[in-house]
Amino acid sequence: LDLLAAAGCRAASPMQLIAPGPAVLLASALAARPAARGGRPFCMGGGFGAAARDTFKYSGKVRPGKQSPKRSVPKSISKPDYWKDGQPKARGPMLPWQIQKKSEADIEGMRAAGRIAREVLDLAGAAVAPGVTTEAIDALVHEAAVSRGAYPSPLNYHGFPKSCCTSVNEVICHGIPDSTKLRDGDIVNIDITCYYGGYHGDCSETFLVGEVDEAGRQLVKVTPGAR
């Protein structure tokens, strides 16, 4: 994945670096707090009281913005087993060397889901521009997935509140879309996964926002070769 392009930048914020499990739940809980850019700041390490302040030691300039409510998915669309409670029930092989042989039907299902994910990612990438919020990209992704009969896989996966991941600059991966506006010179990784026909199709790409410096361009250019 091109997530390494984001990883090669400048570390990450507590709201953006998440992984399945308690960290996601923590990120979701913190997301409900007012953002650092307006109103009472959310707390990281200082409690949830009225006087709480953001004490996290950021390594870059990216800060969490305000999140909109979770989006809904039509009843007619097939959903993964975690869509309601956030807890995945399906389990794969216990050990990495236990390889499942896929049937022709499995492979075709994977192709169909992957094709949809790629189409959605292309649309999201085309929307990247200075002044566009990551929230707007998420809204586009959600609509694009749903219109194709797919469920946006990140939505409510271990409580993840959005339909895609948008990781800006130093945010390594799994950034939560919010009111943050992309700025000229940024780079942003957009991670798309779509659930369709019982299969998840997953892909991501890092995009340039406006005029990016040579270091940023070079990073995005060479990272795919490190896969």
Side-chain angles (χ1 to χ4, degrees):
L1 296 177
D2 288 342
L3 291 175
L4 288 174
C9 295
R10 297 142 257 186
S13 77
M15 286 294 300
Q16 311 291 3
L17 271 178
I18 63 171
V24 175
L25 300 179
L26 173 60
S28 297
L30 290 175
R33 306 297 297 170
R37 292 190 176 183
R40 191 176 67 200
F42 78 90
C43 165
M44 187 65 186
F48 286 92
R53 60 191 180 88
D54 182 1
T55 59
F56 184 80
K57 295 182 179 179
Y58 295 90
S59 61
K61 297 181 179 180
V62 175
R63 297 292 185 275
K66 294 181 179 180
Q67 289 181 33
S68 63
K70 285 184 181 179
R71 306 183 194 284
S72 61
V73 176
K75 293 181 179 180
S76 59
I77 290 180
S78 178
K79 302 174 179 63
D81 61 14
Y82 56 80
W83 77 275
K84 195 170 186 178
D85 62 7
Q87 299 300 314
K89 285 78 176 174
R91 293 289 182 269
M94 294 292 293
L95 302 172
W97 55 83
Q98 293 178 312
I99 300 173
Q100 292 181 330
K101 183 177 180 179
K102 304 299 182 182
S103 67
E104 288 299 320
D106 288 330
I107 294 172
E108 184 52 40
M110 293 164 66
R111 283 181 178 144
R115 189 176 302 115
I116 289 174
R118 183 69 239 188
E119 290 176 359
V120 173
L121 179 57
D122 287 344
L123 290 171
V128 170
V132 174
T133 65
T134 53
E135 161 68 23
I137 293 173
D138 183 75
L140 183 154
V141 165
H142 185 90
E143 180 57 33
V146 168
S147 68
R148 288 163 172 75
Y151 180 94
S153 301
L155 188 61
N156 208 36
Y157 178 73
H158 284 286
F160 192 82
K162 292 297 177 178
S163 297
C164 69
C165 301
T166 52
S167 306
V168 181
N169 295 340
E170 69 266 21
V171 179
I172 295 175
C173 64
H174 301 162
I176 303 174
D178 56 25
S179 61
T180 299
K181 289 184 179 180
L182 297 176
R183 298 176 297 179
D184 188 66
D186 285 344
I187 63 174
V188 57
N189 179 271
I190 302 177
D191 194 347
I192 303 293
T193 310
C194 294
Y195 180 76
Y196 181 80
Y199 298 88
H200 294 276
D202 185 358
C203 55
S204 81
E205 188 170 341
T206 301
F207 299 92
L208 305 176
V209 184
E211 294 299 321
V212 177
D213 63 23
E214 182 57 31
R217 287 179 175 274
Q218 187 68 7
L219 178 68
V220 173
K221 178 181 178 181
V222 303
T223 298
R227 293 177 182 175

